[in-house]
Amino acid sequence: MRQNACHPTKTVPCQPVNAAGKIRRVGAGVGPCKGAQERLIRVPCSTGAWTRPARSDRRALAAVAVTGQPGQPLRVMIAGAPAAGKGTQCAKIVDKYGLMHISVGDLLRAEVAAGTPAGRKAKNFMDNGDLVPNEVVVEMVKNKLGEDEVQQNGWLLDGYPRSGEQAEAIEKEGIRPDIFLLINVPDELLIDRVVGRRSDPATGEIYHLTFKPPPPEIVSRLVQRSDDTEEKARNRLRTYHANVDAVVGYYKNEVVEIDGTASMDMVFEDIVAAIDGIRHLA
Ligand code: AP5
């Protein structure tokens, strides 16, 4: 284990990064990642550079990190474009860390289904792939985060904040994450993910007709979201790109970018390494 230049007081091994913050590619057999197979996890260092633990050591970090800060509930934000895999990964994160999952999209869909005043206000915006007005969303999220169970178990906030204004609103309440996971997937892959997504209303499980085919016996009960058309997805993507930089700007010190193009299990492996690595370094 060599001394980490980015964390001089810690003996955490890191991979080299270039000036743009990308992990320098290492040749086959030289390091833990091989050429085009390499996936990126980037974590900020105190110097402002980016780094990550080497794969072999990430496993070791994961083993110690979960017990590294007993009693401290973990606070995680997860962001990414529509269909980047947030919901898929949240299910896995909740299983592993026991966090309270707060999905703003799910909360809003529940309001719409129940026909509440908030739901009636939100419906058209959601159907068009636009952001629901802050007057509906911000209080809803603040109230959820304030619940005792959420405070005690820690939280996984999925789909909030989606604009600089939303980030500022919780910043004013002193609410910050320990880590901000940003799942990156190129737009051209996302449309396929959107139109092929189906979910099981009985279990909440998310499937994909190609990438995660459902068992044949449940296919007839699967549902498709009303905003999962190519046209609406393109608008959701425009909305995402117009806002993501402002949001990330609030979490420069907490952001970890995850390559979301890998398999679902590999993405999760990187997320676990990122979360455990951050807890270890804290
Ligand atoms: P929301 O429900 O949050 O939708 P979204 O952000 O567009 O994200 P999605 O749920 O579409 O995708 P995901 O990233 O969870 O992907 P998934 O895991 O399902 O928000 C809906 C709407 O609510 C918004 O448009 C807005 O109107 C409103 N809203 C929400 N939050 C708001 C806020 N803060 N302010 C204002 N309005 C708000 O995966 C997608 C598919 O890909 C699945 O089929 C899955 O099986 C597959 N897949 C996942 N990972 C992989 C992988 N690694 N490889 C291959 N396939 C994969």
Side-chain angles (χ1 to χ4, degrees), residues 155-168:
W155 44 259
L156 171 61
L157 188 51
D158 165 9
Y160 187 100
R162 290 197 194 222
S163 66
E165 294 78 27
Q166 291 186 0
E168 195 178 347

Side-chain angles (χ1 to χ4, degrees), residues 10-11 27 30 32-33 65 98-99 139 158 180 212 215 239 244:
K10 310 218 182 219
T11 51
V30 175
C33 297
L99 302 177
E139 280 308 303
D158 165 9
F180 184 100
K212 188 183 172 187
T239 305
V244 64

Side-chain angles (χ1 to χ4, degrees), residues 83 85-88 109 130 132 159 162 166 197 207 225 236 262:
K86 302 181 294 295
T88 300
R109 278 185 286 278
D130 294 325
V132 173
R162 290 197 194 222
Q166 291 186 0
R197 173 173 40 197
Y207 293 98
R225 270 168 45 177
R236 286 156 62 197

Side-chain angles (χ1 to χ4, degrees), residues 6 14 29 31 33 50 53 69 82 87 91-92 99 110 125-126 150 182 208 222 275:
C6 297
C14 292
C33 297
W50 294 83
Q69 290 193 293
K92 294 171 180 284
L99 302 177
F125 292 95
M126 295 179 77
V150 174
L182 180 63
H208 190 281
L222 298 184
I275 291 176

